[in-house]
Amino acid sequence: MIELDNVSINLNKVSIIRDVTAKIDSKVILLGPNGSGKTTLLKAIAGIIPYMGSIRVNGNEVKRARNLNLLSTNLPEAYSLGRTVEDVIYLYQELKSIPESNVKELLRSVGFNDLKKEIYGLSAGQGVILRTVMALASDPQVVLLDEPFENVDAAKKFKIVQWLKEYGKEGIIVTHEIDMAAMFKESPTFMILEGRLYGPVSMGGLMECSIEEGSHPGSLMEVQVGNRKFSFVKEGKGKKMKDMVILDRIYNI
């Protein structure tokens, strides 16, 4: 379980995450536009950046945790060692006992065969795929996955969806791509906007909503964007959530 208790994060004296409290005991989707704080929150949970409040993973306070191998992430900071793909695989075999066959099988399934390629020579999409495979290959208890579909071509995105449903028992999958999030209809879903966390709600229910400005009785969820309030309303007349493509468009409503 991931437990967040009044978590706030300031970077360069700017408030990025604001008093977030939540309990996560399954795999959840975290939706949010670019710049909303999604990646910052994942970095705090992974122990990469400092935070105020409390973050616990299976009862371990992250800021004091050491060798917490039940958690895996695809954040780039976790893969800064190693010159080639082969090096990264070897290091994580040693650190987390990841079976080499698992990694190679997953990479081959998306046409990624050149293990001697230098990490800094990978395309953006190849880098995302490699880090996501490394995060999932040990079938960890808790996964933290940041934008696993970004810069990945359509056919490979659907393969990644299969992996995300199969590997990892609980954790957070971050995306701003509505069409990919919609593939997880049964998943609890949180939304983050301007550092504030909303939810959880059902992804299937959220996809059936329209976004209406103001408060609406019986709405599935209400969020604040600047000085404006928006409601997610089933069978409403506003912009359909499933037609948004990316959540950044909420700013144009």
Side-chain angles (χ1 to χ4, degrees):
M1 178 184 289
I2 300 171
E3 298 171 280
L4 309 170
D5 188 8
N6 293 318
V7 174
S8 294
I9 302 170
N10 297 327
L11 297 176
N12 298 321
K13 299 182 180 180
V14 176
S15 177
I16 307 296
I17 299 296
R18 306 177 185 186
D19 299 319
V20 166
T21 294
K23 289 186 179 182
I24 297 166
D25 59 4
S26 62
K27 273 189 284 192
V28 306
I29 305 299
L30 177 58
L31 284 172
N34 287 315
S36 59
K38 305 184 302 296
T39 300
T40 298
L41 185 60
L42 282 200
K43 286 182 178 180
I45 298 171
I48 293 171
I49 60 174
Y51 58 87
M52 294 174 284
S54 175
I55 300 176
R56 295 182 299 278
V57 176
N58 280 17
N60 299 284
E61 181 66 41
V62 168
K63 64 183 69 172
R64 293 192 291 272
R66 297 291 183 273
N67 302 318
L68 198 61
N69 280 343
L70 59 87
L71 183 149
S72 284
T73 181
N74 70 345
L75 288 164
E77 289 86 347
Y79 301 95
S80 58
L81 297 175
R83 187 173 63 86
T84 67
V85 173
E86 206 167 44
D87 292 339
V88 171
I89 293 171
Y90 172 77
L91 286 167
Y92 275 80
Q93 277 182 275
E94 296 297 309
L95 290 170
K96 301 194 72 168
S97 302
I98 295 177
E100 183 179 6
S101 58
N102 281 14
V103 176
K104 290 182 176 179
E105 181 181 346
L106 291 172
L107 290 175
R108 276 197 299 267
S109 72
V110 290
F112 196 136
N113 298 304
D114 186 3
L115 303 186
K116 295 190 180 297
K117 194 164 186 177
E118 293 192 357
I119 295 297
Y120 296 105
L122 298 177
S123 69
Q126 288 175 325
V128 169
I129 288 170
L130 174 63
R131 293 192 301 271
T132 300
V133 165
M134 297 305 300
L136 296 174
S138 64
D139 197 13
Q141 173 80 24
V142 180
V143 291
L144 303 174
L145 300 174
D146 188 34
E147 300 287 1
F149 309 110
E150 195 164 45
N151 297 306
V152 176
D153 67 56
K156 291 171 184 168
K157 283 182 179 181
F158 289 105
K159 192 69 178 177
I160 291 171
V161 169
Q162 294 176 12
W163 297 346
L164 299 183
K165 290 183 176 182
E166 181 178 354
Y167 295 98
K169 298 170 180 62
E170 57 196 58
I172 303 171
I173 301 167
V174 160
T175 186
H176 68 284
E177 299 182 37
I178 303 298
D179 56 340
M180 300 315 299
M183 304 292 290
F184 299 86
K185 288 184 179 180
E186 305 303 318
S187 296
T189 301
F190 290 87
M191 189 174 292
I192 190 166
L193 291 158
E194 299 178 343
R196 296 184 180 92
L197 194 68
Y198 302 90
V201 297
S202 116
M203 176 61 75
L206 189 62
M207 288 299 110
E208 296 304 314
C209 287
S210 296
I211 305 174
E212 309 274 355
E213 188 163 4
S215 293
H216 290 258
S219 61
L220 184 67
M221 182 170 62
E222 291 187 1
V223 301
Q224 188 86 20
V225 181
N227 295 322
R228 303 166 72 194
K229 184 171 287 186
F230 293 93
S231 298
F232 291 81
V233 182
K234 288 192 175 182
E235 300 179 359
K237 297 179 181 179
K239 180 74 174 179
K240 301 293 184 185
M241 182 67 180
K242 61 187 176 185
D243 296 334
M244 290 276 284
V245 184
I246 58 173
L247 200 56
D248 300 60
R249 294 184 178 178
I250 195 170
Y251 297 116
N252 299 323
I253 293 175

